[in-house]
Amino acid sequence: HVQLVESGGGSVQAGGSLRLSCGASGSIYGDACVGWLRQAPGKEREGVAAIDSDGIASYADSVKGRFTVSRDNANNTVNLMMNSLKPEDSAVYYCAAHVGWVSLGRRLSQYEYIYWGQGTQVTV
């Protein structure tokens, strides 16, 4: 059974930075596409970033140039560095994983992911 656990959320002023981390039980990250998705109250869950097993990253237009996703396979961790945060970035952030290939055009879709963390709140 795979478990994902997010950490690093919190409150920050506009323009500030936060670093989210997602740890996984079990060695799934070596073959997994890992995504970061967020959901604000009254809005649909949206993908913001994803990274595949080769380290290829994808970003939503709304966060390009501000967010950076990275992975540390040795420690089974995927990180999301968020800079220049805006009030509209406030949401519950989830990490999610899909073991195997996900096409580039689908990596920000919540429907591609099987394993999910419990979410961490980010307030700007």
Side-chain angles (χ1 to χ4, degrees), residues 20-123:
L20 305 182
S21 292
C22 179
S25 64
S27 298
I28 67 164
Y29 277 169
D31 297 317
C33 180
V34 179
W36 284 98
L37 303 96
R38 67 187 181 188
Q39 188 166 22
K43 294 189 177 181
E44 290 189 1
R45 191 171 297 185
E46 62 172 352
V48 296
I51 188 165
D52 68 12
S53 56
D54 292 324
I56 305 299
S58 303
Y59 297 97
D61 288 343
S62 59
V63 307
K64 278 181 183 176
R66 300 188 298 122
F67 290 13
T68 302
V69 61
S70 61
R71 62 191 303 152
D72 180 353
N73 289 337
N75 292 308
N76 240 21
T77 302
V78 171
N79 302 308
L80 183 68
M81 186 70 207
M82 306 185 294
N83 297 318
S84 302
L85 283 162
K86 305 175 181 180
E88 52 262 45
D89 293 319
S90 297
V92 177
Y93 282 70
Y94 300 88
C95 69
H98 176 104
V99 180
W101 172 258
V102 178
S103 63
L104 281 171
R106 298 290 300 169
R107 290 179 183 183
L108 299 183
S109 170
Q110 61 174 314
Y111 302 109
E112 294 298 321
Y113 294 98
I114 300 172
Y115 304 106
W116 289 82
Q118 81 288 353
T120 185
Q121 178 70 47
V122 171
T123 303

